[in-house]
Amino acid sequence: MKNLRLVITLLIIVTSLQSVMAQHQLESKSADNTFTVKGLVREVDSYNPISDVNIQVNGGSYTSTSLSGEFRINVKIGDEIMISHKDFETIYYTVKTNDNITVEVQSLIEDAYVKKVKTKSNTFKSTIDSAVFYKKISAEKSIQFIAESIPKSTSIMQNAEAFEVLADVYMYWKQYDLAVTNYRISLNNINSVDVNLKLAKAYFNNKNHQESLAIYNSFNPNNLSNWQNVIRYEGLGDVYAKINQTAKASKAYTEGLKVATTNQILPKITDLNSKLGEVYNAEGNKAKAEVLLENSVVLASKENKTREVEQKIKFADFQNVNQSYDQEIRTRKEIIKDIDAIEKDSIISNESNLTKQKQNYKIGNAYFLQKDYKEAIPYLEKSIEEADKKEDLTVKKDATKKLTDVYVESGNFSEAKKTFDQYVKTVDQLYIKKEQEISQAARFNKSIAEKQNRITTLETDRKLTLSQVELSQEKNKRQLLIIYSLIGGVFLLILTAYLMFKYIKQQKLANNLLALKSLRSQMNPHFIFNALNSVNSFIATNDERTANKYLSDFSKLMRAVLENSEEDFIPLQKEIELIELYTKLEHFRFKDKFEYKIEVDKTIDIEAYQIPPMLLQPYIENAVWHGLRYKNEMGLLEISITKKQIGVIAITIADNGIGRKKSKSLKTENQQKHNSKGLGNIKKRVSILNQMYKDKVDVIIDDNETDGDVGTKVVVTIKKD
């Protein structure tokens, strides 16, 4: 009786103890239908590669880009890849083919300050990477690296990243209260959807269900990516299922399943089928639950063997709860075979459900519940044997206790006594082990607390430093205000001066345009007056037919002149057409006085040059009226357009008339008092246009020859725009 009390006491102690520090899997899961995808991350403008970009698949596989911006990662069709970096918005990409991926992001401004920050960032980044590496190996080392990274942080974004990683470490080691604290610190720096989702999960694991629900319900599904929406619906379902609101849990899981199915997020399709099945089972809908759980096994088989076995175990547990012991036994026997295959490539920890000792124990328990004691014994013995090999005292204790019950129920009390003694011995060993684990956990918690206190102190110091900086800035605020006021005053003066200069320049331009318009308005009557004199002379001589023909050509010329009268510049081709028509009219009148020829260098692109309208006509008019018509023999008017240099052409108007000097001597006293209106206007127009368009036009007038009738030569130089 005394021994029985001792056993009961030990059982109470053992069942009250929980494992704090668990051994974690180092298994490398088989990937039956996975493949490696190659990718490149670069800047959109310069095509420069971006290194240290985080590449993560559905919260699972993780890598980062190399110096060349490249990465390789194992994925499956339907996986969602999260591409994140501190310098651009997180990108989500769903894998649909095995094609290579190229991600282009907006380039950064590479000034000296940015380069300096990047150099420091590399140090921060390497420290954070070390913390991530040790996350599943050693919590203490990982936290130590994070503590070292915080002083190296150069931005609130990096600070947020450090506390997010710290919270991730606490989540992995089941320190959920500390995870909550550090996720909140991260969010105080940068508000992130992903971190909010992690915080909601941490609240759930810490049994703060209402806080978790509040975060999940605060999201707008339209603002989330497909992956984030699935995580949100799954989290909502988990919380509602935990607080026994199965209808709401079912609705949340169903919504998540729709999103996951539409976007082919295969792992979550499997998980949500399984969880939805568990909810239906809790509601008493066994048939629907069974269909969903079976479906989750089929879906998991398309991912990898480990996932398939995990779902089979959930299905076997469902069969056990519903007393389908024959089906449960068959399922668990399949599981044991699958575990043999998995163990060839992976190490399975005792905490995992994927151990043969646990499955053999549950098969033995199923036979026991069927009262098939003969079949139960070998499986319970196998469970004890496997537990001995793996040093799994917890399963060994349970299996030994169950074997004792089997022997008692079957009436084999001698074997029951032996197994009970073994059970007591196992309980003693487990008690000692738990004491050691509790001691280790206490040391672990103490170490964690010290490191967390140090990190909290660092964060407090950082905030204090920021406060001191703000205080210093406040002290300098008045001085800066004065300086900015002075700068503002100087700027206003400069702006006023600039506006005045611009106003004067605009006024000058307006005056020039008005002057040009005035000169053009003077040119046209002058030209028309001279032309009408020619018509008048034809009429005076009773040459009606010639006058009609002259008027016809004159009307064409007038139309061309009027079309161009409002322009400062016209294409050279139009000016050539105008002077050809004008020269033709003058030759028509003075056929017995001169011949003419117009030559244009064929290498010149006459469409590329611009010239003031009616610039050449007054010079041609002067050549005819004041030079060639007074010549005793037949004269010659030559108009040539040649290339002077690249972008510059020369227009030469040359005649062999009586020359400027002789022409002037022939003028009457009244004519000598009045300068030529046409040439005077041309000089003024050229002067104004050169002021406006930076010496675009140049005019030179000189004698054409040295002996006899020297004639006159006018050279007009035009520059291309």
Side-chain angles (χ1 to χ4, degrees), residues 543-555:
D543 192 349
E544 185 179 346
R545 173 179 287 181
T546 303
N548 287 337
K549 189 174 187 307
Y550 186 89
L551 277 172
S552 176
D553 288 340
F554 173 70
S555 66

Side-chain angles (χ1 to χ4, degrees), residues 117-217:
V117 170
K118 281 190 176 180
T119 303
K120 290 184 178 179
S121 175
N122 288 338
T123 305
F124 170 84
K125 185 63 180 172
S126 62
T127 312
I128 283 293
D129 287 345
S130 298
V132 173
F133 175 79
Y134 280 105
K135 183 178 84 171
K136 297 182 180 181
I137 301 171
S138 170
E140 292 175 326
K141 280 189 177 181
S142 184
I143 295 168
Q144 180 60 39
F145 277 115
I146 294 168
E148 291 173 7
S149 73
I150 290 173
K152 299 173 184 176
S153 168
T154 57
S155 66
I156 58 172
M157 188 172 290
Q158 288 182 348
N159 212 53
E161 182 183 358
F163 282 98
E164 180 185 356
V165 173
L166 179 60
D168 290 343
V169 173
Y170 286 136
M171 279 289 283
Y172 184 81
W173 292 93
K174 297 182 174 61
Q175 305 293 313
Y176 302 123
D177 56 336
L178 292 175
V180 167
T181 299
N182 288 283
Y183 280 137
R184 291 177 64 181
I185 294 174
S186 177
L187 290 168
N188 285 337
N189 286 274
I190 297 289
N191 193 13
S192 161
V193 171
D194 290 325
V195 177
N196 269 297
L197 288 169
K198 289 180 179 181
L199 176 59
K201 184 70 174 177
Y203 272 131
F204 170 73
N205 288 337
N206 203 44
K207 297 182 174 57
N208 303 118
H209 299 134
Q210 294 307 315
E211 289 84 349
S212 182
L213 281 176
I215 294 175
Y216 284 130
N217 286 319

Side-chain angles (χ1 to χ4, degrees), residues 356-531:
K356 286 191 285 188
Q357 60 265 30
K358 286 181 181 176
Q359 297 309 312
N360 277 309
Y361 165 73
K362 290 187 177 182
I363 292 172
N365 181 61
Y367 278 123
F368 173 76
L369 293 171
Q370 286 183 317
K371 298 186 178 182
D372 189 347
Y373 305 124
K374 184 178 179 181
E375 290 294 331
I377 291 171
Y379 283 98
L380 292 170
E381 287 175 342
K382 284 180 187 177
S383 176
I384 294 168
E385 183 183 349
E386 288 290 339
D388 268 335
K389 287 180 186 177
K390 301 291 179 63
E391 298 181 355
D392 189 347
L393 291 174
T394 302
V395 174
K396 183 180 178 182
K397 170 186 72 70
D398 293 339
T400 308
K401 177 66 170 65
K402 187 61 66 177
L403 187 58
T404 302
D405 294 341
V406 169
Y407 284 132
V408 169
E409 291 294 328
S410 62
N412 192 342
F413 297 107
S414 60
E415 288 297 325
K417 177 67 170 61
K418 289 178 185 178
T419 53
F420 182 76
D421 291 340
Q422 188 180 357
Y423 168 70
V424 172
K425 184 178 178 182
T426 304
V427 169
D428 289 339
Q429 292 173 343
L430 184 60
Y431 182 78
I432 293 168
K433 183 181 178 183
K434 291 298 180 182
E435 279 191 329
Q436 292 172 347
E437 288 180 353
I438 291 170
S439 177
Q440 290 173 358
R443 289 196 298 272
F444 174 76
N445 288 335
K446 183 180 179 182
S447 175
I448 292 292
E450 289 174 352
K451 286 180 168 55
Q452 178 63 34
N453 287 337
R454 183 187 171 196
I455 291 171
T456 305
T457 302
L458 288 171
E459 177 66 3
T460 304
D461 290 344
R462 187 184 72 85
K463 289 180 179 178
L464 181 60
T465 303
L466 289 174
S467 299
Q468 290 174 342
V469 170
E470 289 174 1
L471 183 61
S472 177
Q473 289 174 345
E474 187 66 30
K475 289 180 179 179
N476 295 327
K477 193 172 182 181
R478 290 185 181 179
Q479 294 179 352
L480 289 173
L481 185 60
I482 294 170
I483 293 170
Y484 290 149
S485 299
L486 291 173
I487 293 172
V490 172
F491 174 76
L492 286 174
L493 287 173
I494 294 171
L495 181 62
T496 303
Y498 169 74
L499 292 174
M500 288 180 66
F501 169 76
K502 191 174 181 181
Y503 174 76
I504 292 169
K505 189 175 180 181
Q506 287 176 340
Q507 284 296 105
K508 188 176 181 181
L509 177 62
N511 291 338
N512 285 336
L513 291 173
L514 186 62
L516 284 173
K517 188 173 183 180
S518 175
L519 290 170
R520 283 197 298 267
S521 67
Q522 293 176 32
M523 288 278 302
N524 293 338
H526 174 77
F527 167 71
I528 294 168
F529 174 77
N530 289 339

Side-chain angles (χ1 to χ4, degrees), residues 217-230:
N217 286 319
S218 68
F219 289 113
N220 182 350
N222 296 325
N223 297 332
L224 303 181
S225 69
N226 296 326
W227 172 257
Q228 290 169 339
N229 259 323
V230 173

Side-chain angles (χ1 to χ4, degrees), residues 537-699:
S537 66
F538 286 128
I539 295 172
T541 57
N542 295 317
D543 192 349
E544 185 179 346
R545 173 179 287 181
T546 303
N548 287 337
K549 189 174 187 307
Y550 186 89
L551 277 172
S552 176
D553 288 340
F554 173 70
S555 66
K556 293 179 183 177
L557 178 61
M558 285 304 303
R559 187 181 297 109
V561 169
L562 291 173
E563 284 176 357
N564 302 326
S565 62
E566 292 299 319
E567 304 293 334
D568 291 337
F569 287 92
I570 62 172
L572 178 59
Q573 183 179 6
K574 285 190 176 182
E575 183 71 4
I576 292 172
E577 291 171 358
L578 190 147
I579 62 172
E580 283 178 339
L581 190 56
Y582 174 74
T583 307
K584 178 183 176 183
L585 288 173
E586 292 291 33
H587 180 256
F588 187 75
R589 183 178 176 190
F590 299 110
K591 287 182 181 179
D592 58 337
K593 289 294 182 179
F594 74 96
E595 294 292 339
Y596 74 92
K597 59 180 179 179
I598 301 174
E599 296 179 344
V600 180
D601 188 342
K602 293 182 179 180
T603 62
I604 298 173
D605 181 8
I606 57 177
E607 290 288 346
Y609 289 87
Q610 300 282 318
I611 187 171
M614 295 289 287
L615 177 68
L616 304 178
Q617 183 271 334
Y619 296 117
I620 297 171
E621 181 182 326
N622 274 4
V624 174
W625 283 75
H626 301 297
L628 293 171
R629 76 167 178 158
Y630 293 116
K631 195 173 174 67
N632 295 324
E633 64 272 9
M634 183 66 72
L636 177 64
L637 174 64
E638 293 180 292
I639 302 171
S640 63
I641 302 175
T642 58
K643 184 178 287 186
K644 193 171 182 181
Q645 61 189 62
I646 296 174
V648 181
I649 61 170
I651 303 172
T652 304
I653 301 170
D655 68 80
N656 59 354
I658 63 175
R660 291 178 295 169
K661 186 175 180 181
K662 192 172 181 179
S663 175
K664 187 175 181 181
S665 66
L666 293 176
K667 287 183 179 181
T668 65
E669 183 179 348
N670 186 53
Q671 287 174 330
Q672 290 178 6
K673 290 180 181 179
H674 294 86
N675 292 324
S676 171
K677 290 287 185 185
L679 291 179
N681 283 344
I682 286 294
K683 287 180 181 179
K684 292 177 183 177
R685 286 178 69 200
V686 168
S687 175
I688 293 170
L689 289 168
N690 281 338
Q691 289 178 25
M692 294 171 63
Y693 300 102
K694 298 182 180 178
D695 299 330
K696 183 178 174 68
V697 182
D698 186 32
V699 180

